[in-house]
Amino acid sequence: MAASSERSPPPFPDSEEPELLEDSDDGADAFTGTSISEMDSLSPDTTGPPKDLFNTPPEDIFSDPLSDINSEPQKNVKIQSPGSDEAVDLFSDPLDDEADVISSPEVQNPVPDLLKETVETPKSDVIGKAPIDISSKPVHKNAIGARHQDIFEDPPKDSSKGSAAKKAGSAELFGDDDDDEDEEEEMFKEPLKAMTKKPQPSVASGPPINVFTEVKSEVKVKQHVKDDPTDLFAEEAVKAPATKPSSSGGSRTNGVHSEEQDIFSEATVELSLDSPLNDRKKKDAVKASVSAPAAPVASSSSKPPSKTLEELEEEESEDKFDLNISITNPEKIGDGMNAYMAYKVSTQTSLTMFRSKTFTVRRRFSDFLGLYEKLSEKHSQNGFIIPPPPEKSILGMTKVKVGKEDPSSAEFVERRRAALERYLQRIVSHPSLLQDPDVREFLEKEELPRAVGTQALSGAGFLKMLNKATDAVSKMTIKMNEQDVWFDEKIQDVENEEQQLRKLHVMVESLVNHRKELSGNTAVFAKSVAMLGSSEDNTALSRALSQLAEVEDRIEQLHQDQAANDFFTFSELLADYIRLLGAVRGCFDQRMKAWQRWQDAENMLQKKRESEAKLLWANKPDKLQQAKDEISEWEAKVTQFEREFERISATVQKDVIRFDKEKARDFKRQIIKYLESLLHSEQQLIKYWEAFLPEAKAIA
Amino acid sequence: MTSISDDSDKEKVRSVSVDLNHDASLLIDIPDALCERDKVKFTVHTKTTLSSFQKPDFSVPRQHEDFIWLHDTIVETEDYAGLIIPPAPPKPDFEGPREKMHKLGEGESSMTKEEYAKMKQELEAEYLAVFKKTVQVHEVFLQRLSSHPVFSKDRNFHIFLEYDQDLTVRRKNAKEMFGGFFKNMVKTADEVLISGVKEVDEFFEQEKTFLLDYSVKIKDSAAKAEKMTRSHKNVADDYNHISGALNSTAADNNSAFKKHLEKSADVFEKLRKVEDRVASDQELKLTELLRYYTRDIQAAKDLLYRRARALADYENSNKALDKARLKGKDIAQAEENQKQCLQKFDKLSESGRKELTSFKARRVIAFRKNLIEMTELEIKHAKNSVSLLQGSIEMLKGN
């Protein structure tokens, strides 16, 4: 709750305030109500911003939030959990003491919780602010300054723009965090003055004032904004130069986030003590320490929401990670059924986020699964495509455990080794996952806590179950009429492609089998010809036949090698992408779920409105207030869910585009590799036959 | 005879599994054949300078059954007992393509356009291969006869070549079929019986051992080669399917991915062609060679059997003569009989020795020729693949 309240950025307040005035109830209510209405696009109010607003907050404060919002929107998404917690704590304490306003102070998880909380605590000032934030964001996107002015002058425009701006969902969240801090500051300062009665107005008002003042000097504001983000980004950049600016906010790493949060939290703490201006300065100082190169990052990051697909696509192609991971030396450890395979995971990198340039760890299969579980827990609801690990194979592993040195178990081990290698490579080539502390830990840390829970369920099995369950449920219950053409097509494409790849995979598997068969039959034929040669009574012919047998023997080996290439280079590639496309569909499902949540909230809001109307008609003023509260609560929820949906849509879209590029590149690489293996086979074949030709000619 | 299979399908592709004396006085080939349902009509073309034929150049239509008839009459001719009788061509087997055709018809509605096209392609290729093979074995049979000093003068052979109407050979009826089967049984039993007869001639003793051993081995090799070429064919078919699947995957795509898919589909399509060639050339040059000699060796073994039979008869007549002398009865008749048997045996041995020697030479030459041709084709195809692959890799890398 607290978090949400904190977040509400200044610019919105304007619109809300007018309503407040009109509604005339508690400041809080007024705020919420107005804000909601704005969101809905019926821009009601916002005429004359309250004077309070003007008075309180200094420009600096305002600029900060704005800057934060603009610059870091995407980051916040990830960061939220820690940041929000702190903020909440700070915030919640005072609030609780002061009033009942904040009903549910506990901040649990990152984004969703935050959103919910905001929604849930309608009465609290916090809530009122949250909506404000939303509206503010749109403003940010377009011309910040102009919008602000508009807001003040023409309420209706603002509202409409606000709705349009909704699409920039991800950005808002960030904005919230920053705002929170600012607000917190204010809260701390001002609450003392007038906490009890109109804590919200005061809080909210603070920022709005800034808006006004700054509206005129928008340019400056923007610059401020940029500075702030730069700093944050800069730090990132320093740590992990690999992440390109192009990768939008969503891709920022956790590590980075946490640091950012630290900065913020410290800042907030300090702020609470100091005046906002001071905070600002401190922040600036902090930022100043950061190197300059971040600037482009900041600018790019501030754009993301408005970026076109083409831009995204272009940007993606630039990604290149100086990070090589190889898995070698599979080694059986232990005996009997407790035996397991350990793999050497070697990393070679120039990324500064790692402690050294080369390092090696030993990992077992369940560690790989554990990594996947961790990643999917953290990131799947964000809409990232998390590369699935290879499937657990009880049969294959049992063979290995029982431990006869037979070729099939050697093949199994090699197959798994290669699959794990590709799995890791895919993870680190994901700009966001690379930044995950768990990934780094997996690659770097000597001893990893034993992954639990992976034994019973293999990663892929787990994924399958999850997919199936969600598929079944969502297909039955969710009837989403897709508004977004891109998604509409993409979902269809992915499904088609998966089917096609499945078919193709079957064909390639059959090629592998037939080639193995050919290899076997060639071997048998070679033996048979050798026998025939030994029976042949013409010496030259006998010799030629046994030579032919040798040639066929070699060709058999060639076929066998080629079958391995068919399998490892081609078939496994397809199998990987079939699994990856499954993961992509999982992302679409996550998005659909977010949509469903939004729609549910929308329906609920509708109901609440209807009941309010009834109450109005029945003339029951005592319950009317409660109904209004509920409406504002649900309006906030709708806003939040909608934002969340937009955010996840943006992330999924971005990640899918990235995935497509990666896929095309991967396929090209593998196909070339495969054709080269064929080429090599044919070249050998020429050699063998050319060597045989004189033998055949020598038959007399 | 020596025409080498060439890449162009149009060109008549023939491979000769037997080396034949080049005798320009009687040249036979089958330039054309027509497949109607389960019957294949061959056009047998003859070019000759022999005066025993009415015209120097003529063609007649013949069916597989006519070839069998010709073979049977030759086998039944007593005078040819001392010769290795060229093995009859095997019955045309269009089962494979027909089955596929059936599948094609059935699945036409359920298959995508690409799949249908691919399947049709496969069918055509397979049909062509079987067709080629069938024509080849029939041609070889006639050429063996025409190049043999004795058989080339056979009356029935001449009728076969010259009679410009349908021969309308009567198919064997069930009784005859059974009779043939029974005869075979008797022959097999008889072979076992006379195997006890002591061989007097070291050459034949050796030949017998060799042929028995060799026929087992070559039969095995032929079967293994067939398996090998079949699985090679499967690989080629897989390429075809992969190409089709890649194409249909590409059809649904519209990213950069599409280009790669289309290119790969193209590569696989081309690879299929080459691989198909490799498989069918192996089949023609290697498998057919082994198969043919499996049959030819059987024919040689039959010759040995007939000689052994004659030997046994001779020995029996000797015994009969001894008995007759002992009893003092029918001595003249027994002597006559014994003399005839000896004569027959000697004649068989003499021609058999010649035949077997020439058989050996023929076999070696045929193996040489086919192995060289096959090797050259393998090299050629592999080189094709190499340049194809190199080009494709360049292209893929380039974009």
Side-chain angles (χ1 to χ4, degrees):
Chain A
M1 337 240 8
S4 64
S5 65
E6 295 163 358
R7 288 173 194 169
S8 62
F12 273 94
D14 316 341
S15 59
E16 297 169 0
E17 290 161 8
E19 283 195 0
L20 289 178
L21 297 178
E22 293 171 2
D23 283 52
S24 79
D25 281 348
D26 286 324
D29 292 347
F31 263 101
T32 55
T34 53
S35 66
I36 292 167
S37 62
E38 286 183 1
M39 296 304 302
D40 294 348
S41 80
L42 314 173
S43 61
D45 33 4
T46 66
T47 31
K51 294 168 185 177
D52 297 339
L53 298 176
F54 277 97
N55 305 336
T56 25
E59 294 181 358
D60 294 353
I61 293 170
F62 192 45
S63 64
D64 286 353
L66 282 179
S67 63
D68 295 343
I69 293 165
N70 287 346
S71 62
E72 305 173 349
Q74 294 123 352
K75 293 178 181 179
N76 291 333
V77 177
K78 291 178 181 177
I79 301 171
Q80 285 162 347
S81 55
S84 63
D85 288 337
E86 293 176 3
V88 174
D89 295 341
L90 296 173
F91 201 26
S92 62
D93 291 351
L95 283 178
D96 288 340
D97 294 345
E98 292 162 4
D100 298 343
V101 179
I102 303 173
S103 57
S104 60
E106 338 100 77
V107 179
Q108 296 158 344
N109 289 340
V111 187
D113 298 73
L114 292 174
L115 295 183
K116 286 177 186 172
E117 290 172 2
T118 52
V119 177
E120 288 172 5
T121 58
K123 294 170 184 175
S124 67
D125 307 332
V126 178
I127 296 169
K129 294 173 184 177
I132 296 169
D133 293 340
I134 295 165
S135 60
S136 67
K137 289 178 181 179
V139 177
H140 289 299
K141 283 182 174 183
N142 305 334
I144 298 172
R147 286 294 144 74
H148 291 299
Q149 291 175 348
D150 293 343
I151 291 170
F152 287 98
E153 295 163 8
D154 323 317
K157 283 184 184 177
D158 288 337
S159 61
S160 62
K161 287 175 184 173
S163 60
K166 287 177 186 175
K167 291 194 176 178
S170 59
E172 301 165 27
L173 294 176
F174 282 95
D176 293 345
D177 285 345
D178 298 79
D179 294 335
D180 293 344
E181 295 168 7
D182 293 321
E183 291 178 7
E184 285 178 22
E185 300 167 14
E186 296 174 6
M187 296 289 300
F188 283 101
K189 298 169 190 171
E190 296 183 347
L192 302 178
K193 294 176 184 173
M195 271 309 286
T196 45
K197 283 187 181 179
K198 296 183 180 180
Q200 298 159 350
S202 63
V203 177
S205 62
I209 297 171
N210 295 333
V211 175
F212 277 101
T213 53
E214 292 178 349
V215 170
K216 290 164 186 173
S217 62
E218 293 163 5
V219 182
K220 292 174 186 174
V221 176
K222 280 185 181 176
Q223 285 175 346
H224 287 295
V225 176
K226 279 180 183 175
D227 289 344
D228 292 0
T230 7
D231 298 337
L232 296 175
F233 279 104
E235 287 184 359
E236 276 191 36
V238 174
K239 287 178 183 174
T243 46
K244 298 248 165 155
S246 61
S247 62
S248 62
S251 63
R252 301 299 153 188
T253 61
N254 290 340
V256 176
H257 290 297
S258 60
E259 291 178 4
E260 290 177 16
Q261 290 167 356
D262 295 343
I263 295 168
F264 280 104
S265 61
E266 290 173 21
T268 49
V269 174
E270 293 171 29
L271 288 174
S272 62
L273 302 176
D274 302 336
S275 73
L277 286 174
N278 289 341
D279 293 336
R280 231 266 132 162
K281 283 174 185 170
K282 285 184 180 178
K283 280 189 181 176
D284 286 346
V286 174
K287 293 164 185 175
S289 66
V290 186
S291 60
V297 177
S299 59
S300 70
S301 65
S302 61
K303 284 186 210 161
S306 61
K307 273 182 192 161
T308 61
L309 289 185
E310 289 75 22
E311 279 173 327
L312 283 177
E313 282 174 13
E314 280 168 24
E315 287 170 22
E316 295 302 330
S317 63
E318 295 161 14
D319 299 334
K320 276 215 179 102
F321 299 93
D322 180 23
L323 183 63
N324 284 319
I325 293 185
S326 59
I327 295 181
T328 50
N329 297 8
E331 193 185 343
K332 193 170 128 187
I333 293 184
D335 282 316
M337 288 318 281
N338 287 325
Y340 62 91
M341 297 298 299
Y343 303 86
K344 200 165 128 190
V345 181
S346 312
T347 312
Q348 194 185 14
T349 181
S350 63
L351 299 189
T352 48
M353 61 184 277
F354 294 101
R355 280 197 292 271
S356 52
K357 285 208 188 311
T358 56
F359 39 90
T360 303
V361 289
R362 284 202 83 79
R363 295 284 180 256
R364 53 182 294 182
F365 185 62
S366 54
D367 294 333
F368 289 87
L369 296 186
L371 176 64
Y372 172 74
E373 312 257 299
K374 280 185 204 161
L375 290 179
S376 55
E377 223 170 82
K378 266 189 278 187
H379 299 298
S380 69
Q381 75 263 44
N382 291 339
F384 287 142
I385 300 167
I386 298 158
E391 268 140 73
K392 195 156 187 148
S393 162
I394 292 170
L395 183 70
M397 199 52 210
T398 308
K399 261 189 185 167
V400 174
K401 280 173 179 168
V402 173
K404 296 286 176 286
E405 286 296 318
D406 85 272
S408 76
S409 80
E411 194 186 301
F412 169 77
V413 170
E414 167 57 19
R415 179 184 176 181
R416 173 166 283 181
R417 183 205 65 73
L420 288 173
E421 191 172 274
R422 291 193 305 272
Y423 160 66
L424 274 192
Q425 281 163 351
R426 291 212 170 89
I427 286 183
V428 299
S429 68
H430 192 294
S432 309
L433 296 183
L434 173 62
Q435 307 291 340
D436 189 282
D438 279 326
V439 172
R440 250 188 293 172
E441 195 173 72
F442 183 90
L443 295 176
E444 255 183 340
K445 202 171 174 189
E446 203 54 51
E447 285 292 325
L448 213 58
R450 182 99 164 73
V452 281
T454 60
Q455 278 83 358
L457 280 177
S458 74
F462 185 72
L463 184 76
K464 259 185 224 151
M465 272 177 50
L466 205 85
N467 273 347
K468 269 188 194 148
T470 53
D471 269 7
V473 173
S474 62
K475 292 257 156 70
M476 278 192 297
T477 61
I478 305 184
K479 287 211 182 73
M480 180 172 182
N481 56 338
E482 186 61 73
Q483 302 289 328
D484 191 322
V485 182
W486 188 87
F487 275 103
D488 197 26
E489 281 176 6
K490 204 72 201 172
I491 289 169
Q492 203 53 47
D493 285 354
V494 166
E495 257 165 41
N496 282 344
E497 192 173 312
E498 190 178 344
Q499 256 175 20
Q500 300 286 7
L501 286 188
R502 270 183 207 285
K503 256 193 216 167
L504 184 56
H505 187 238
V506 170
M507 307 286 182
V508 177
E509 286 283 278
S510 132
L511 172 65
V512 172
N513 288 333
H514 281 142
R515 184 108 60 191
K516 277 183 183 158
E517 217 171 75
L518 174 59
S519 167
N521 286 337
T522 308
V524 172
F525 175 68
K527 274 201 195 80
S528 184
V529 167
M531 295 292 286
L532 184 66
S534 70
S535 292
E536 176 59 60
D537 59 356
N538 179 295
T539 339
L541 181 53
S542 168
R543 190 183 136 78
L545 285 177
S546 55
Q547 290 291 329
L548 178 63
E550 264 178 48
V551 170
E552 293 290 353
D553 256 341
R554 280 189 209 128
I555 291 175
E556 178 236 325
Q557 189 57 44
L558 218 54
H559 288 321
Q560 202 175 306
D561 294 349
Q562 191 53 50
N565 282 322
D566 291 342
F567 181 74
F568 283 112
T569 320
F570 202 0
S571 174
E572 285 284 85
L573 172 77
L574 296 173
D576 274 6
Y577 274 95
I578 289 169
R579 258 185 292 143
L580 280 165
L581 286 175
V584 172
R585 278 193 294 121
C587 289
F588 289 144
D589 287 347
Q590 292 284 352
R591 176 174 167 273
M592 193 151 73
K593 275 194 249 166
W595 182 83
Q596 184 63 23
R597 269 200 299 276
W598 172 30
Q599 294 306 307
D600 286 348
E602 199 90 69
N603 288 339
M604 195 54 125
L605 176 61
Q606 200 55 43
K607 274 186 205 153
K608 298 285 177 202
R609 286 218 172 106
E610 279 165 16
S611 62
E612 188 205 19
K614 275 182 200 156
L615 287 173
L616 265 176
W617 192 70
N619 201 11
K620 287 182 182 168
D622 48 331
K623 287 184 182 169
L624 202 55
Q625 184 50 49
Q626 195 197 336
K628 276 190 174 146
D629 287 351
E630 276 178 1
I631 286 175
S632 56
E633 172 190 346
W634 281 99
E635 277 172 338
K637 270 189 193 172
V638 167
T639 316
Q640 291 291 359
F641 287 150
E642 188 183 1
R643 259 200 262 166
E644 199 177 316
F645 171 69
E646 275 152 10
R647 181 180 52 76
I648 199 172
S649 295
T651 316
V652 169
Q653 188 178 27
K654 217 177 84 66
D655 223 26
V656 168
I657 289 169
R658 188 192 62 81
F659 170 80
D660 276 348
K661 285 223 161 282
E662 194 76 19
K663 182 178 66 184
R665 228 178 304 158
D666 214 15
F667 258 80
K668 184 176 158 184
R669 201 170 41 226
Q670 292 292 316
I671 290 284
I672 288 176
K673 195 173 157 201
Y674 178 70
L675 293 182
E676 277 169 347
S677 76
L678 280 176
L679 178 63
H680 177 252
S681 288
E682 296 291 339
Q683 282 166 337
Q684 289 300 109
L685 215 52
I686 294 177
K687 243 193 245 168
Y688 296 156
W689 285 117
E690 275 178 347
F692 176 71
L693 194 53
E695 295 288 343
K697 284 183 172 158
I699 302 170
Chain B
M1 330 239 51
T2 50
S3 66
I4 292 169
S5 84
D6 194 281
D7 265 343
S8 90
D9 288 337
K10 300 281 171 203
E11 195 167 317
K12 193 83 201 162
V13 173
R14 255 174 290 148
S15 128
V16 179
S17 306
V18 252
D19 179 67
L20 304 165
N21 313 319
H22 284 259
D23 182 0
S25 62
L26 183 59
L27 293 176
I28 301 171
D29 66 337
I30 301 181
D32 192 19
L34 242 160
C35 188
E36 293 176 342
R37 294 179 174 263
D38 53 347
K39 273 190 186 153
V40 184
K41 281 192 175 166
F42 303 93
T43 305
V44 177
H45 172 243
T46 311
K47 233 176 136 178
T48 183
T49 56
L50 297 181
S51 56
S52 55
F53 292 99
Q54 287 172 346
K55 281 185 275 178
D57 197 325
F58 47 89
S59 300
V60 289
R62 290 290 174 262
Q63 290 182 24
H64 172 72
E65 284 69 27
D66 302 334
F67 286 80
I68 300 301
W69 165 81
L70 180 58
H71 179 256
D72 287 346
T73 59
I74 292 173
V75 168
E76 283 157 15
T77 309
E78 194 64 26
D79 291 345
Y80 301 152
L83 306 175
I84 294 177
I85 296 162
K91 200 170 162 27
D93 178 16
F94 286 97
E95 245 350 277
R98 198 170 295 138
E99 209 175 278
K100 253 187 192 159
M101 183 115 73
H102 194 64
K103 256 203 263 170
L104 194 67
E106 264 184 350
E108 190 173 350
S109 52
S110 64
M111 272 185 286
T112 68
K113 222 170 152 192
E114 275 101 5
E115 281 169 336
Y116 185 79
K118 292 282 168 198
M119 193 96 170
K120 213 170 145 204
Q121 235 174 11
E122 248 169 59
L123 180 68
E124 281 165 4
E126 193 170 330
Y127 182 83
L128 197 72
V130 174
F131 198 81
K132 266 199 248 175
K133 211 172 68 186
T134 307
V135 169
Q136 181 195 303
V137 287
H138 285 80
E139 197 178 57
V140 165
F141 172 69
L142 297 180
Q143 287 165 347
R144 275 281 301 279
L145 292 177
S146 73
S147 61
H148 194 283
V150 179
F151 293 133
S152 63
K153 296 182 181 68
D154 181 76
R155 221 189 110 57
N156 285 323
F157 181 43
H158 285 199
I159 291 172
F160 178 91
L161 293 176
E162 210 172 17
Y163 185 64
D164 62 354
Q165 305 292 307
D166 275 349
L167 276 179
T168 57
V169 181
R170 183 173 58 86
R171 281 182 176 243
K172 284 181 178 172
N173 61 30
K175 197 176 150 205
E176 279 169 320
M177 293 278 271
F178 182 76
F181 177 68
F182 184 70
K183 236 165 83 185
N184 251 331
M185 291 278 287
V186 171
K187 191 185 117 194
T188 314
D190 202 33
E191 260 173 346
V192 177
L193 275 177
I194 61 175
S195 67
V197 179
K198 198 170 179 309
E199 183 55 73
V200 285
D201 192 321
E202 206 184 315
F203 172 82
F204 284 103
E205 180 66 33
Q206 267 182 10
E207 272 313 298
K208 198 173 116 189
T209 327
F210 167 73
L211 284 178
L212 280 178
D213 179 39
Y214 202 77
S215 82
V216 173
K217 300 276 172 60
I218 202 169
K219 213 171 167 179
D220 181 66
S221 290
K224 301 293 158 57
E226 197 184 327
K227 263 186 155 179
M228 183 174 74
T229 42
R230 202 186 307 136
S231 43
H232 213 123
K233 197 125 213 139
N234 285 337
V235 169
D237 284 354
D238 286 335
Y239 280 164
N240 199 14
H241 296 148
I242 289 170
S243 162
L246 280 169
N247 259 329
S248 50
T249 311
D252 288 350
N253 240 288
N254 42 16
S255 50
F257 198 36
K258 186 188 179 81
K259 274 186 299 179
H260 304 329
L261 289 173
E262 277 170 349
K263 284 208 178 107
S264 332
D266 194 43
V267 177
F268 274 105
E269 169 61 28
K270 286 178 185 151
L271 278 177
R272 175 198 71 88
K273 278 194 188 134
V274 179
E275 214 61 38
D276 244 357
R277 276 266 138 64
V278 173
S280 65
D281 283 340
Q282 262 181 16
E283 161 104 20
L284 222 53
K285 296 291 167 192
L286 189 63
T287 316
E288 271 307 301
L289 173 78
L290 294 170
R291 264 196 222 129
Y292 188 83
Y293 274 92
T294 309
R295 292 199 303 271
D296 213 7
I297 280 173
Q298 187 54 47
K301 270 165 67 190
D302 286 349
L303 167 63
L304 283 184
Y305 162 73
R306 289 192 293 268
R307 186 187 154 275
R309 182 71 257 174
L311 178 57
D313 285 349
Y314 169 62
E315 280 184 356
N316 285 343
S317 68
N318 267 343
K319 275 181 205 157
L321 182 59
D322 286 350
K323 230 188 224 172
R325 279 191 182 136
L326 212 66
K327 288 183 180 168
K329 236 182 7 181
D330 300 330
I331 296 174
Q333 194 189 339
E335 270 181 346
E336 182 60 20
N337 189 17
Q338 186 240 17
K339 217 168 123 190
Q340 273 183 9
C341 283
L342 180 62
Q343 257 179 14
K344 188 184 172 194
F345 172 69
D346 282 345
K347 199 183 142 208
L348 278 183
S349 295
E350 193 198 339
S351 74
R353 189 186 301 261
K354 248 196 266 167
E355 281 284 302
L356 285 172
T357 314
S358 86
F359 165 77
K360 191 169 286 185
R362 198 173 70 223
R363 181 165 48 82
V364 171
I365 291 169
F367 267 84
R368 176 175 193 272
K369 183 169 165 301
N370 277 276
L371 286 179
I372 290 174
E373 279 174 13
M374 183 186 76
T375 308
E376 279 167 348
L377 285 171
E378 291 274 5
I379 293 170
K380 187 178 129 195
H381 293 321
K383 280 184 174 159
N384 275 346
S385 298
V386 165
S387 65
L388 167 67
L389 286 165
Q390 273 169 343
S392 308
I393 290 168
E394 288 298 305
M395 203 169 61
L396 269 171
K397 275 184 176 163
N399 83 85

